[in-house]
């Protein structure tokens, strides 16, 4: 008992609130990454594992270019293009060579590990705000949050517009029903390649911002990115649907993806504040994703349960008999 009391007395609430801005800043950056995952996971219904590699590619390209004297805006744009190329490779492996989607993503991810090492020349490249003019940095957290939110807002506006166009609607149709889309004359291979390229472009953009924020690019900075992205998407969707029910439109869904990432990093900050072993953070992430993935299924199962249907039918029967008696 005394051990429990001493444990809780050792926790400092002010430390939790002090680290909150940093958690929000990271959440916004990873929210941009999650928007890329949203394209493949929710819209295209494609399990793309390329993102673990393309996230690190964005960071590696940005760090090397900034050190070489390239303006930070140009470095960010080039990292975006690098991510698009990575997604393009996955798309072509899947559509032209007939490699299953999950394997195509794994192949590209493995290849990107070596490519990222060649880009950086070593496993870690520091880009301190003290030596280079960075756009975003952990040394100015409030500004980092603002810039991250601006990026997220612009991306959400672009995605809302683009996926309302004919080409964007074709991508959504391909993910919803490939056979019907093909019957309607849509080239589903082209839409898959475009979606994968766009998705990984956003992921690499997030990697670029992350490298600047943390002050270095690392070969392993994208490890587990797909799990974090999925966690953000699922958490955002579950909470959004709980609030808006069936009234959540596409723009609101995109906003809640970013909110999901922020909530995920706040939860991770809470775990660290509770002094839980850092080695167990991946286990915690896996449990969170599993729980939020299960919630929609369990809710749907509850709504469609035989017991509930039987009660509804019995109620209708009673209402019908009451009408006859009248």
């Amino acid at each position: 008992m005394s051990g429990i009391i001493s444990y809780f007395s050792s926790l400092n609430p002010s430390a939790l609130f002090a680290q909150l801005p940093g958690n929000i800043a990271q959440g916004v950056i990873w929210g941009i990454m999650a928007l890329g995952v949203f394209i493949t996971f929710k819209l295209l219904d494609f399990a793309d594992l390329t993102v673990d590699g393309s996230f690190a590619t964005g960071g590696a390209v940005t760090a090397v270019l900034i050190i070489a004297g390239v303006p930070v805006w140009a470095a960010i744009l080039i990292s975006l293009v690098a991510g698009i190329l990575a997604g393009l490779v996955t798309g072509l492996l899947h559509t032209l060579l007939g490699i299953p989607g999950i394997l195509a993503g794994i192949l590209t991810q493995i290849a990107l590990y070596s490519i990222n090492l060649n880009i950086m020349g070593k496993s870690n490249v520091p880009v301190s705000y003290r030596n280079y003019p960075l756009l975003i940095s952990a040394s100015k957290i409030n500004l980092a949050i603002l810039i991250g939110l601006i990026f997220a807002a612009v991306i959400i506006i672009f995605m809302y517009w683009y996926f309302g166009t004919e080409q964007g609607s074709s991508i959504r149709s391909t993910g919803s029903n490939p056979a019907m889309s093909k019957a309607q004359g849509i080239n589903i291979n082209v839409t898959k390649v475009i979606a994968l390229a766009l998705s990984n472009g956003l992921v690499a953009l997030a990697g670029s911002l992350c490298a600047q924020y943390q002050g270095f690019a690392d070969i392993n900075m994208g490890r587990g990115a797909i799990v974090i992205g999925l966690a953000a998407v699922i958490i955002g969707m579950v909470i959004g649907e709980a609030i808006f029910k069936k009234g959540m439109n596409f723009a609101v869904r995109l906003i809640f993806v970013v909110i999901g990432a922020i909530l995920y990093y706040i939860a991770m900050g809470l775990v660290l504040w509770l002094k839980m072993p850092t080695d167990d953070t991946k286990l915690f992430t896996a449990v969170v994703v599993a729980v939020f993935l299960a919630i929609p299924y369990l809710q749907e199962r509850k709504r469609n349960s035989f017991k509930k249907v039987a009660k509804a039918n019995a109620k209708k029967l009673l209402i019908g008999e009451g009408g006859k008696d009248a």
Side-chain angles (χ1 to χ4, degrees), residues 1 23 30 41 73-74 84 90 92 109 158 167 193-194 203 217 248 251 255 279 287 292 294 305:
M1 188 66 181
N23 295 331
W30 282 85
F41 180 66
W73 282 102
I84 289 173
T90 299
L92 294 176
Q109 178 195 134
F158 167 76
Q167 189 179 82
V193 171
I194 293 173
V203 171
M248 190 165 62
I255 292 171
D279 293 341
V287 171
F292 278 90
S305 66

Side-chain angles (χ1 to χ4, degrees), residues 243-257:
I243 296 173
F244 291 92
K245 304 299 181 183
K246 299 295 183 182
M248 190 165 62
N249 62 23
F250 187 67
V252 176
R253 287 178 182 273
L254 296 177
I255 292 171
F256 267 91
V257 168

Side-chain angles (χ1 to χ4, degrees), residues 30-173:
W30 282 85
I32 295 172
M33 182 267 179
L35 288 171
V37 174
F38 178 84
I39 294 173
T40 51
F41 180 66
K42 280 290 185 181
L43 300 186
L44 194 62
D45 194 22
F46 189 103
D48 182 28
L49 298 181
T50 311
V51 297
D52 282 25
S54 57
F55 187 86
T57 300
V61 170
T62 298
V64 169
L65 289 177
I66 289 175
I67 291 173
V70 176
V72 64
W73 282 102
I76 293 172
L77 289 175
I78 294 172
S79 70
L80 173 68
V81 173
I84 289 173
L85 292 175
L88 186 66
V89 171
T90 299
L92 294 176
L93 287 174
H94 175 59
T95 57
L96 291 184
L97 301 182
I99 299 173
I102 192 167
L103 292 179
I106 291 172
L107 288 174
T108 307
Q109 178 195 134
I110 293 171
L112 284 174
Y113 187 90
S114 296
I115 292 171
N116 293 338
L117 276 176
N118 286 316
I119 290 172
M120 294 189 293
K122 50 186 177 180
S123 61
N124 186 289
V125 175
V127 277
S128 173
Y129 69 93
R130 296 183 180 88
N131 301 323
Y132 305 100
L134 306 179
L135 179 66
I136 189 170
S137 171
S139 63
K140 299 177 180 178
I141 293 181
N142 292 332
L143 181 61
I145 294 173
L146 176 62
I147 293 174
L149 288 174
I150 291 172
F151 267 90
V154 170
I155 291 168
I156 288 172
I157 292 170
F158 167 76
M159 289 177 65
Y160 182 74
W161 165 80
Y162 175 73
F163 286 106
T165 64
E166 183 177 352
Q167 189 179 82
S169 297
S170 297
I171 293 173
R172 296 171 72 174
S173 176

Side-chain angles (χ1 to χ4, degrees), residues 199-275:
S199 169
N200 284 279
L202 293 179
V203 171
L205 173 62
S208 172
L209 295 176
C210 184
Q212 294 178 63
Y213 177 80
Q214 64 190 14
F216 64 90
D218 187 83
I219 191 64
N220 293 316
M221 64 184 289
R223 180 175 292 177
I226 183 62
V227 178
I228 297 174
L230 287 175
V233 171
I234 298 302
I235 292 171
M237 291 302 97
V238 170
I239 294 176
E241 288 173 2
I243 296 173
F244 291 92
K245 304 299 181 183
K246 299 295 183 182
M248 190 165 62
N249 62 23
F250 187 67
V252 176
R253 287 178 182 273
L254 296 177
I255 292 171
F256 267 91
V257 168
V258 179
I259 292 174
I262 294 172
L263 292 176
Y264 170 82
Y265 266 93
I266 290 175
M268 293 301 297
L270 179 62
V271 169
L272 296 176
W273 177 74
L274 291 171
K275 300 180 180 180

